[in-house]
Amino acid sequence: MNTRISWRLMCVLFVAMLCGCATVDQKVSLLYSPVTDIRSGKGELLLLAPSSGGKEGDASAQWVIGRVKNGDGETIGTIVSSLSPEDLLRDAFNQEFTTAGYTVTQVSKLPQDVHRGIAVSKISLAFEDEWSLPRDKASAILDVAVEIWKDGRKIRLLSYESRVSDVAFRDRKLLAQQLLEKGLHEIMRQAVPEIVTSLEM
């Protein structure tokens, strides 16, 4: 009996040691859903966001959006996404402003006589996931700056930040995805009402 228990204990320790040394990579696949309830938008809205630098339509492209660390703070893996932070933000804004009532057109440059337009001038994403037993602890900081254009001139420059964190004991592979969605939703709740008010005033 003692031999059987000792053998099982050795196996558990060996597996734990392997987990501690293994590379832990996580892939985020986010299907964004609008979160704001603004419905006062009207007409065409031009949306300009930074280019991700990737090839359009390249399904194999991967962007590293964060790091996975162990309990000692050592990087043991990466968090990757098939969409860049720029593309994630562009898609979120597109859905939110369409839901708000605008006909959204994505452009590579705002025309000089733009009637209504928004230009994302900054986006930065810092993402960390601390992988350990028995839980994951993740945090994300998302910074966004947006220029509001109306009747051919820039009328406002707005900045937004979300800081989110959470822990998971089960479904740990979903934590990074859930946290990214939470961070984007927090930005949208701040930005969309203020941007729509600026455009319609």
Side-chain angles (χ1 to χ4, degrees), residues 38-39 45 92-104:
I38 306 297
R39 298 293 183 273
L45 175 64
F93 270 139
N94 183 50
Q95 292 194 50
E96 293 288 355
F97 287 116
T98 298
T99 301
Y102 292 105
T103 300
V104 180

Side-chain angles (χ1 to χ4, degrees), residues 44-97:
E44 185 180 36
L45 175 64
L46 302 187
L47 171 61
L48 171 63
S51 171
S52 63
K55 294 181 179 178
E56 189 175 350
D58 186 357
S60 65
Q62 298 288 327
W63 278 265
V64 176
I65 62 171
R67 297 178 297 172
V68 181
K69 294 184 174 182
N70 61 20
D72 296 323
E74 301 168 326
T75 299
I76 58 173
T78 58
I79 303 170
V80 299
S81 170
S82 56
L83 293 176
S84 69
E86 294 86 357
D87 291 333
L88 288 166
L89 186 68
R90 183 187 295 110
D91 180 55
F93 270 139
N94 183 50
Q95 292 194 50
E96 293 288 355
F97 287 116

